[in-house]
Amino acid sequence: MILFELVPFDLLRVVWWVLLGVLLIGFAMTDGFDMGTGALLPFVARTDIERRVVINTVGPVWEGNQVWFILGGGAIFAAWPPLYAVSFSGFYLAMFAILAALILRPVGFKYRSKREDKRWRNGWDWALFAGGAVPALIFGVAVGNVLQGVPFRLTEDLMPIYEGTFYGKFLGLLNPFALLTGIVSLSMLIMHGAAWLALKTEGDIARRARAYGTMAGLVAIAGFALAGLWLAFGFEGYRLMGQVITDGPSNPRYSEVARDTSWLAAYGARPWILVAPVLGFAGMSMALMKLRGVGEVSALLWSKLGILGVISTVGLTMFPFILPSSIDPKSSLTVWDASSSHMTLFVMLICVIIFMPLILLYTAWVYKVLWGKVTEDDVTSNSNNLY
């Protein structure tokens, strides 16, 4: 018997759905505080030396953190090709805006301190702000649009056709619910960045970070609650009808999909998934309390738990859907009919089993080496400091 046949196809599909979630959560937990720190930079740091301190808290680690983003994009491409084709083409302009903002970050890090000119440095500081705030906002906007359904359809030969216009491909994404989820994403990552700065800095910077992080945390919690109510009463969800074939061919048009009364119907069918929003609220609330009181490491850890809960809430609420269609529900992509082949998923899983522990060990070692606060003396006295 061929080895990959020992692992059922339906199990591999679920495993890769989980792994995709792990990669996205890993990206939000690590690069999320980089983006949050960038969004806070012009506000928590008033002087040039303070801004250099803030930049040096993330400068040595942001490239490694962004690996999770690259791995997530690669996993979508290899494990869920239809998802990659529809989302990266339908959200093309939004993706371009994210990449343009992310490009500002390395350029800002490298060039900001090359000149003593105040206007030069201030301009790059605002570029770093955009490099953090814009992706954090647009990622949340994208999630809001996915929950509402994306205007695409599949032809009989499975060619995806996105029906949106130029307006729909970018400006149309900025609808009220999507803007709400964007605000939740932005405020949640700002709180995460504030928790990071409270851990890595001291004095006025840490005090301001705690204050801004507290405000952002309140917005994130309120926005998350409002988004849940909107999901319950604002628009319909999706559900699979009839017999669901979990190990059949990857052809979304084989599935029977209908609109449901609400996405929250999933909680009636699978009550255990309620643990995800509970973790989201609990993590963000505890992070908020730690930011207001004492607790540096714990504030960051609670913030990570909140991120885990919020992102898991979206994935578990939608399961098994990964990209519903608003104009042709039958074209909606699900875990059971939008994956790569059995062999492809198996080979990729072997690669993950080999390389993921190495990535985690290397990441842990880097953070161990760089553990400790960044002070003004560190920035001014270290001749090797590039930021």
Side-chain angles (χ1 to χ4, degrees):
M1 180 179 292
I2 301 176
L3 183 61
F4 78 89
E5 292 182 349
L6 297 176
V7 184
F9 195 12
D10 55 348
L11 177 60
L12 279 174
R13 283 169 161 165
V14 173
V15 166
W16 270 101
W17 175 79
V18 172
L19 285 174
L20 179 59
V22 168
L23 294 174
L24 296 178
I25 292 170
F27 170 63
M29 285 183 175
T30 55
D31 205 43
F33 66 68
D34 296 339
M35 290 187 284
T37 298
L40 285 168
L41 174 62
F43 309 103
V44 299
R46 307 289 172 79
T47 65
D48 181 69
I49 189 64
E50 286 182 345
R51 292 188 176 184
R52 289 186 64 195
V53 169
V54 170
I55 292 170
N56 274 275
T57 64
V58 296
V61 298
W62 74 269
E63 290 177 292
N65 293 339
Q66 199 157 280
V67 166
W68 294 94
F69 178 55
I70 299 170
L71 290 175
I76 293 174
F77 173 79
W80 311 99
L83 174 62
Y84 181 89
V86 176
S87 60
F88 278 66
S89 59
F91 295 160
Y92 178 80
L93 294 176
M95 293 289 184
F96 185 85
I98 290 173
L99 292 176
L102 290 177
I103 288 170
L104 290 175
R105 187 160 54 177
V107 179
F109 285 146
K110 298 301 181 183
Y111 283 95
R112 183 211 182 261
S113 296
K114 295 297 184 182
R115 293 176 59 184
E116 297 289 343
D117 183 70
K118 183 178 179 180
R119 292 179 60 188
W120 169 271
R121 293 190 172 187
N122 190 58
W124 284 116
D125 289 339
W126 283 103
L128 290 171
F129 163 80
V134 171
L137 177 66
I138 296 181
F139 281 132
V141 167
V143 171
N145 280 278
V146 169
L147 284 166
Q148 295 175 87
V150 179
F152 77 94
R153 60 183 176 84
L154 298 175
T155 64
E156 292 299 326
D157 56 358
L158 300 185
M159 183 177 74
I161 298 178
Y162 190 89
E163 298 288 356
T165 61
F166 174 83
Y167 170 83
K169 287 187 176 182
F170 189 72
L171 297 180
L173 300 178
L174 305 178
N175 56 76
F177 179 76
L179 286 174
L180 173 62
T181 55
I183 290 172
V184 172
S185 173
L186 176 60
S187 57
M188 180 176 67
L189 295 186
I190 287 176
M191 181 185 70
H192 197 42
W196 173 255
L197 288 175
L199 173 66
K200 294 292 289 183
T201 64
E202 56 189 15
D204 289 339
I205 299 175
R207 177 180 56 79
R208 295 184 197 119
R210 288 178 180 274
Y212 282 111
T214 299
M215 291 186 288
L218 290 172
V219 172
I221 293 171
F224 188 46
L226 180 57
L229 291 174
W230 203 326
L231 276 181
F233 305 108
F235 50 85
E236 295 177 321
Y238 294 77
R239 62 185 175 91
L240 288 173
M241 300 177 61
Q243 182 180 5
V244 179
I245 301 176
T246 60
D247 58 354
S250 292
N251 185 342
R253 299 193 65 83
Y254 283 170
S255 301
E256 291 294 331
V257 179
R259 301 303 297 262
D260 205 347
T261 54
S262 168
W263 276 119
L264 299 194
Y267 291 84
R270 292 172 280 130
W272 63 270
I273 67 176
L274 187 63
V275 68
V278 170
L279 287 178
F281 282 116
M284 290 190 291
S285 298
M286 289 300 298
L288 192 63
M289 292 177 59
K290 295 298 181 180
L291 283 172
R292 289 175 57 84
V294 291
E296 297 174 348
V297 176
S298 58
L300 186 66
L301 293 177
W302 281 114
S303 180
K304 289 179 182 292
L305 182 66
I307 289 172
L308 169 66
V310 170
I311 297 178
S312 297
T313 296
V314 177
L316 291 172
T317 300
M318 291 181 60
F319 184 86
F321 292 92
I322 51 179
L323 192 66
S325 170
S326 60
I327 61 174
D328 180 22
K330 189 176 177 64
S331 295
S332 298
L333 307 181
T334 76
V335 171
W336 311 125
D337 55 30
S339 72
S340 291
S341 68
H342 193 170
M343 172 67 84
T344 299
L345 296 183
F346 178 79
V347 172
M348 289 172 57
L349 181 61
I350 298 301
C351 294
V352 168
I353 292 173
I354 295 172
F355 292 106
M356 183 64 79
L358 298 178
I359 293 173
L360 294 174
L361 286 172
Y362 173 76
T363 301
W365 176 78
V366 168
Y367 280 97
K368 181 178 183 299
V369 170
L370 297 174
W371 187 257
K373 292 184 179 293
V374 179
T375 65
E376 294 186 5
D377 288 340
D378 293 331
V379 172
T380 56
S381 63
N382 188 355
S383 60
N384 294 321
N385 200 303
L386 299 177
Y387 311 107

